[in-house]
Amino acid sequence: MKKIINGVESLLEESLNGFAKAHEDIIEFNHQPHFVSRKQKAESGKVVLISGGGSGHEPLHTGLVGKGMLDAACPGQIFTSPTPDQMLAAAEAVDNSSGVLFIVKNYAGDVMNFEIAAEMLDCDHETVLVCDDVSLPKDHSTGRRGVAGTLIVEKIVGAAAEAGATLSECKALGDRVNNVTASMGVALTSCTVPALGQPTFDIGANEIEMGVGIHGERGREPMDLTSASNIVDHLTNAIDQDLNPQQGQKVLLHINGFGATPLMELYLMYDLAAHYWQQRGVEVVRSLVGNYTTSLDMAGASITLTLLDDELIELWDAPVHTANLRWGC
Amino acid sequence: MKKIINGVESLLEESLNGFAKAHEDIIEFNHQPHFVSRKQKAESGKVVLISGGGSGHEPLHTGLVGKGMLDAACPGQIFTSPTPDQMLAAAEAVDNSSGVLFIVKNYAGDVMNFEIAAEMLDCDHETVLVCDDVSLPKDHSTGRRGVAGTLIVEKIVGAAAEAGATLSECKALGDRVNNVTASMGVALTSCTVPALGQPTFDIGANEIEMGVGIHGERGREPMDLTSASNIVDHLTNAIDQDLNPQQGQKVLLHINGFGATPLMELYLMYDLAAHYWQQRGVEVVRSLVGNYTTSLDMAGASITLTLLDDELIELWDAPVHTANLRWGC
């Protein structure tokens, strides 16, 4: 295993220390228990948004804390859920007496820990469960996984909360965005979790893993390495079957790198995916291309589509000022 | 070789097509010859900044075209200099009759091609040569290589040009920033250039390449894989010996990922490097952490330090609106 680290035990703490130093104008890092919150607390009356999950997906979620998006994020150990004490401490630190919205990716550990925290919270609260990964069928026993669409939920609901939406409005909006968002990814290599010290899964030199999860979970099927056009068609067809957008539908197209795939390849995928939707009569009106929901050092990428209306476009465009997503301010 | 591409020949064109589609609000892509320029041309009277170089380092340089930074960028094939016709066409497209400043990384091919273009330009022009890589000695036969410090030169001079600096002022400022900027990188793996189809250089499973260049050029020495602290000390000591900042000196600290290194590790490096400078009595007042000057899918990172004064801080902070660097607007 080749990593720029001092040790498996200290990696998360040292990394968060660096993150906090580099962005001390935007965020604060609480050490015991771990959470990251806005340096400048939101004004009274605003619903606060808290997310979290295993580390190793940066900039999700810590890099998305700031005005217009999250109020706090709780990082667990790598690919491991944070614990309820983190969520409770974060909620206590940022609560504005207007309600707490948890945004949770659908993984058993995350769901359980956020549920426990929710039960212990003595303020109004709601949870939005993100499950945008269409590599699994809709009726999968534990539901679909939450992947790169999470950022889109966080951005749009974050803007609504900033604009004064109530807790129930934020909850309804988050569920709505989740329902019109679909993602699917492909891995060319496994990632290597430091504590494990070796690749999470085996993959042949001429093989790709179609429908991979962001922790290297096996997806739909391993396939022979094929052209970018075939890869993008495969991913986009799955999304198309799930969302089935109407002619003239406006959409946000997000190409997300898993960490080790060059930007050149991500933009090439964008070109192919945008072409697909154009041929389908679907109008790509917003885009996001880059490494946002990563899987450590995995090579590969995912495609996410969100169906937009004027309200969602306005919320997407609203100013956001976080460490790793910033526009309009 | 595992890449999400359709073919070696079409990769650059398809990738630039995707880039242009994803950022059509900011840039325009000219196909014959290849260059990217601002969608909204700078106002009359502004010195125009043009950079370029081999592709494979994205977001450098195309992702840095926009208000407050470059007016145009000329992408060559992967790790191959662009040609004079690209620079001339770009200059013709963006020229404002107030002079053209070329910002060129110090590589033989880039230098030669930009020199030829400069000779053929029939307007006022100057060139800033960036040579911030301290892995080579100052008296190296072809001079030091230009690496991640290039972005800093482009940002600061871009802000000055936007504020009305003349061509000679922009040239002097660019040279000044280059002189107070020093970088050094380390590779954990080689990158794989698609046309070559295999890793550029061999590196042992327990080896790192200290002082690597952004095309995988051999650096100072291969070393045994060691802790992040040792790696950062090695890089930072080399920078320290070169720049020798005074006590109380304000600096910008930039941790640049080469493409396949997780953000967690880059922030951990930031923590260690920031600590080093703090101990040295040097004040880190600005930071930039992320993948900005990449080497395709190379694992590794570089550290860049720029000595700042109030003028440079103000120019660094000035609004910038490009595809991949954006703040203040």
Side-chain angles (χ1 to χ4, degrees):
Chain A
M1 175 180 67
K2 279 181 158 180
K3 305 264 184 199
I4 305 178
I5 62 176
N6 284 322
V8 169
E9 295 301 319
S10 61
L11 166 56
L12 179 60
E13 183 83 10
E14 288 181 270
S15 177
L16 286 167
N17 279 335
F19 177 76
K21 279 184 196 168
H23 302 292
E24 62 184 6
D25 54 328
I26 299 175
I27 59 95
E28 284 179 346
F29 170 36
N30 190 77
H31 289 255
Q32 298 269 3
H34 281 165
F35 67 85
V36 167
S37 59
R38 295 188 192 185
K39 175 129 186 165
Q40 185 168 5
K41 269 191 68 171
E43 283 173 23
S44 172
K46 193 191 91 71
V47 172
V48 295
L49 271 56
I50 300 176
S51 190
S55 294
H57 304 301
E58 290 69 27
L60 198 76
H61 299 271
T62 48
L64 306 176
V65 172
K67 195 168 167 65
M69 217 156 165
L70 299 178
D71 292 86
C74 305
Q77 288 294 323
I78 290 177
F79 292 179
T80 303
S81 173
T83 48
D85 62 313
Q86 294 176 251
M87 300 141 194
L88 287 168
E92 193 172 326
V94 302
D95 181 27
N96 258 331
S97 310
S98 301
V100 171
L101 185 74
F102 286 151
I103 300 178
V104 182
K105 300 193 297 302
N106 187 31
Y107 296 97
D110 289 337
V111 171
M112 182 187 73
N113 283 290
F114 272 101
E115 269 179 5
I116 294 170
E119 280 170 21
M120 296 170 73
L121 266 185
D122 55 3
C123 63
D124 286 346
H125 57 85
E126 292 282 1
T127 296
V128 171
L129 202 62
V130 183
C131 47
D132 55 315
D133 187 348
V134 299
S135 69
L136 298 179
K138 272 186 176 158
D139 58 357
H140 186 265
S141 59
T142 57
R144 288 169 160 181
R145 303 178 292 229
V147 289
T150 312
L151 176 147
I152 296 166
V153 174
E154 292 175 357
K155 170 66 187 80
I156 288 177
V157 181
E162 214 74 53
T166 64
L167 180 61
S168 60
E169 287 166 347
C170 287
K171 157 73 175 159
L173 179 65
D175 287 342
R176 178 155 79 90
V177 176
N178 178 55
N179 285 334
V180 295
T181 296
S183 303
M184 197 159 110
V186 61
L188 276 64
T189 69
S190 172
C191 53
T192 296
V193 177
L196 189 62
Q198 60 187 41
T200 308
F201 63 93
D202 291 326
I203 186 163
N206 290 307
E207 218 176 42
I208 58 178
E209 185 66 37
M210 188 57 69
V212 72
I214 56 172
H215 311 94
E217 301 95 330
R218 278 284 152 92
R220 291 193 169 193
E221 49 183 337
M223 283 175 54
D224 286 344
L225 179 61
T226 181
S227 68
S229 290
N230 285 340
I231 290 172
V232 169
D233 270 354
H234 207 99
L235 297 173
T236 308
N237 276 316
I239 291 168
D240 199 355
Q241 281 172 33
D242 189 82
L243 286 180
N244 192 22
Q246 301 300 299
Q247 296 281 314
Q249 172 69 52
K250 291 180 179 172
V251 298
L252 162 65
L253 175 57
H254 173 29
I255 309 292
N256 172 60
F258 286 147
T261 290
L263 215 43
M264 284 190 82
E265 296 175 38
L266 301 183
Y267 279 117
L268 186 152
M269 290 177 72
Y270 183 85
D271 185 46
L272 297 167
H275 180 75
Y276 175 99
W277 292 115
Q278 189 186 13
Q279 295 292 311
R280 265 281 273 108
V282 168
E283 198 183 345
V284 179
V285 296
R286 293 295 182 273
S287 68
L288 185 70
V289 182
N291 295 293
Y292 291 99
T293 302
T294 61
S295 305
L296 293 169
D297 52 356
M298 187 189 285
S302 61
I303 299 180
T304 297
L305 201 78
T306 297
L307 310 186
L308 297 174
D309 57 24
D310 289 346
E311 181 194 6
L312 298 189
I313 292 173
E314 190 179 331
L315 292 168
W316 177 258
D317 288 346
V320 58
H321 189 183
T322 71
N324 298 109
L325 198 73
R326 190 186 305 196
W327 56 70
C329 59
Chain B
M1 175 179 68
K2 279 182 157 178
K3 305 265 184 197
I4 305 178
I5 63 177
N6 283 322
V8 170
E9 296 301 320
S10 62
L11 166 56
L12 179 60
E13 183 82 11
E14 287 181 270
S15 177
L16 285 168
N17 278 335
F19 177 75
K21 278 184 198 167
H23 302 291
E24 61 184 7
D25 54 328
I26 299 175
I27 57 96
E28 284 179 347
F29 169 36
N30 190 77
H31 289 255
Q32 300 267 4
H34 281 166
F35 67 86
V36 167
S37 60
R38 295 188 192 185
K39 176 128 186 168
Q40 186 169 4
K41 268 192 69 171
E43 283 174 23
S44 173
K46 193 190 92 72
V47 171
V48 294
L49 272 57
I50 300 175
S51 190
S55 293
H57 305 300
E58 289 70 25
L60 196 77
H61 298 273
T62 47
L64 306 175
V65 172
K67 195 167 168 67
M69 216 156 165
L70 299 178
D71 292 87
C74 305
Q77 289 293 324
I78 289 177
F79 292 0
T80 302
S81 173
T83 48
D85 62 312
Q86 294 177 251
M87 300 144 195
L88 287 168
E92 194 172 324
V94 302
D95 181 27
N96 257 333
S97 309
S98 301
V100 172
L101 185 74
F102 286 152
I103 300 179
V104 183
K105 300 194 296 301
N106 187 31
Y107 296 97
D110 289 337
V111 171
M112 182 186 74
N113 283 290
F114 272 101
E115 270 179 5
I116 294 171
E119 280 170 20
M120 295 170 75
L121 266 186
D122 56 3
C123 63
D124 286 347
H125 56 84
E126 292 280 3
T127 297
V128 171
L129 203 62
V130 183
C131 47
D132 56 314
D133 186 349
V134 300
S135 67
L136 298 178
K138 273 188 176 156
D139 58 357
H140 187 265
S141 59
T142 56
R144 289 170 159 179
R145 303 177 292 229
V147 291
T150 313
L151 176 147
I152 296 166
V153 173
E154 292 175 357
K155 170 66 187 82
I156 288 178
V157 180
E162 214 73 54
T166 64
L167 180 60
S168 59
E169 287 166 349
C170 288
K171 157 72 175 161
L173 178 67
D175 288 342
R176 178 156 79 89
V177 175
N178 179 54
N179 285 332
V180 296
T181 296
S183 303
M184 197 157 110
V186 63
L188 275 63
T189 69
S190 172
C191 53
T192 296
V193 177
L196 188 62
Q198 59 186 42
T200 308
F201 63 91
D202 291 326
I203 187 163
N206 290 306
E207 219 176 38
I208 58 177
E209 185 67 37
M210 188 58 70
V212 73
I214 57 172
H215 311 94
E217 302 95 328
R218 278 284 150 94
R220 292 191 168 194
E221 50 184 334
M223 283 174 56
D224 285 344
L225 180 61
T226 181
S227 68
S229 291
N230 284 340
I231 290 172
V232 169
D233 270 355
H234 207 100
L235 297 172
T236 308
N237 275 316
I239 291 167
D240 199 355
Q241 280 171 33
D242 190 83
L243 285 181
N244 191 23
Q246 302 298 300
Q247 296 281 315
Q249 172 70 52
K250 291 179 178 171
V251 298
L252 162 65
L253 175 59
H254 173 29
I255 308 292
N256 172 60
F258 286 147
T261 291
L263 216 43
M264 285 191 82
E265 296 176 39
L266 301 184
Y267 279 116
L268 186 152
M269 290 179 72
Y270 183 85
D271 185 47
L272 297 168
H275 181 75
Y276 175 99
W277 293 114
Q278 189 185 12
Q279 294 292 311
R280 265 280 274 109
V282 168
E283 198 183 345
V284 178
V285 296
R286 293 294 183 274
S287 69
L288 185 70
V289 182
N291 295 293
Y292 291 99
T293 302
T294 60
S295 304
L296 294 168
D297 53 355
M298 188 189 284
S302 61
I303 299 181
T304 298
L305 201 79
T306 297
L307 310 185
L308 297 174
D309 56 25
D310 289 345
E311 181 194 4
L312 298 189
I313 291 172
E314 190 179 332
L315 291 168
W316 177 259
D317 288 345
V320 59
H321 189 183
T322 71
N324 299 109
L325 197 72
R326 189 185 307 194
W327 57 71
C329 58

